[in-house]
Amino acid sequence: NAGVTQTPKFRILKIGQSMTLQCTQDMNHNYMYWYRQDPGMGLKLIYYSVGAGITDKGEVPNGYNVSRSTTEDFPLRLELAAPSQTSVYFCASSYSLGGNQPQHFGDGTRLSIL
Amino acid sequence: GESVGLHLPTLSVQEGDNSIINCAYSNSASDYFIWYKQESGKGPQFIIDIRSNMDKRQGQRVTVLLNKTVKHLSLQIAATQPGDSAVYFCAEKLYGGSQGNLIFGKGTKLSVKP
C-alpha cells in the first residue's frame, strides 16, 4: 500500500518558470490537502479538496492553483515561480473532513526558486 | 501568533529514558489533537490522536495527555530509542472548522543519546 505519493522529490526552478507538483493517493480518501513547510516552522495549508471537482483555498493560496479531476490525484500548480515559494511541499489525504481522522502525508517535494 | 506552539524547541534524552514533549494551544474551541513525528527528509507520520472529551490516550510506548483547563497537550514516549529521534509536531483542529485543516505547531526536535 503506497499511501500518498509525491513527485518530484526535488526541483530547482528559475524565477518566472512554472511547474506542477504531483500528488496521488491509493487509500480512496475523499479529502486531500497541500501544505508548505518553511524551515523551522509548522505546516501551512495552501489548498484543500473535499472530492473530485471541488477545491478551496487554505491559509496561503496566493501564487498557487490546484485541480481535482479524480479522487486519487491532486496536483499543485505554480504559474510564475517566485523566491518566496522556496519551501518543502507536502500533500496529505484523509478519510473525513469535519470528522476526527488523522491526515496521512507524502514525503514531500523540496522546491528551490533561484 | 500561532494558536499551537511548543514550550521547548529541542529536547535531548538518554536512550531508555522517558521523553515528554509539550504543546500549548490557545483556542478552547479545538476538539481534536494529533501528534506527528517527522524524520529528516520524510513527511509527518501520524503517532497518536486524542479528542477533546478525553484526558488521556495510550498507544504503543506513547501516551498523550490533554489538559483543557490550561490548554496543554503532552506526548510521553516510554523507553526512548534512537529511532525516536525526530521532530515532533502537535496539531489541533477547531470544532466545526469548515476547512478541516489542522493548525500545526513549529515542532520539537528530539535527540536520543546512546
Side-chain angles (χ1 to χ4, degrees):
Chain A
N1 193 340
V4 179
T5 303
Q6 293 183 238
T7 57
K9 294 188 184 302
F10 306 92
R11 186 71 184 269
I12 298 174
L13 286 181
K14 294 182 179 179
I15 295 172
Q17 286 186 319
S18 62
M19 79 162 293
T20 299
L21 283 67
Q22 301 292 344
C23 175
T24 187
Q25 53 91 9
D26 62 0
M27 296 174 282
N28 201 31
H29 287 166
N30 282 327
Y31 308 102
M32 297 187 73
Y33 314 82
W34 273 106
Y35 292 90
R36 61 177 287 171
Q37 184 179 38
D38 297 322
M41 302 294 288
L43 288 85
K44 300 289 187 183
L45 183 68
I46 305 172
Y47 270 95
Y48 69 103
S49 170
V50 302
I54 306 171
T55 63
D56 210 343
K57 296 177 180 178
E59 183 181 357
V60 289
N62 292 342
Y64 307 95
N65 281 299
V66 293
S67 60
R68 186 92 182 273
S69 57
T70 66
T71 299
E72 295 79 16
D73 301 308
F74 190 39
L76 177 71
R77 179 83 177 166
L78 282 73
E79 291 292 352
L80 289 172
S84 62
Q85 294 178 305
T86 294
S87 190
V88 182
Y89 292 85
F90 289 101
C91 179
S93 71
S94 67
Y95 176 71
S96 65
L97 180 69
N100 296 331
Q101 296 289 334
Q103 295 177 13
H104 300 271
F105 287 81
D107 282 338
T109 293
R110 285 145 186 82
L111 182 62
S112 294
I113 315 296
L114 305 177
Chain B
E2 290 190 351
S3 172
V4 176
L6 294 167
H7 295 308
L8 297 173
T10 60
L11 178 65
S12 183
V13 300
Q14 202 71 35
E15 180 179 358
D17 288 351
N18 296 333
S19 302
I20 300 176
I21 301 172
N22 296 304
C23 179
Y25 65 97
S26 59
N27 200 318
S28 58
S30 294
D31 66 342
Y32 178 58
F33 304 88
I34 307 176
W35 279 101
Y36 284 95
K37 171 186 180 184
Q38 187 175 25
E39 296 175 281
S40 180
K42 298 282 189 178
Q45 176 187 0
F46 169 76
I47 301 174
I48 192 168
D49 57 2
I50 188 168
R51 292 166 174 69
S52 59
N53 61 352
M54 302 170 68
D55 296 323
K56 178 180 179 179
R57 191 170 187 211
Q58 289 184 291
Q60 186 177 9
R61 280 202 308 119
V62 295
T63 300
V64 55
L65 299 177
L66 177 62
N67 185 330
K68 294 180 286 295
T69 302
V70 295
K71 299 189 186 71
H72 184 267
L73 189 70
S74 69
L75 177 70
Q76 300 179 0
I77 304 174
T80 312
Q81 302 169 2
D84 294 327
S85 294
V87 176
Y88 290 81
F89 293 92
C90 64
E92 63 178 308
K93 184 184 77 64
L94 296 178
Y95 173 76
S98 60
Q99 296 183 353
N101 61 301
L102 301 174
I103 303 171
F104 287 84
K106 294 183 180 180
T108 292
K109 183 177 181 179
L110 175 65
S111 297
V112 181
K113 296 178 289 186

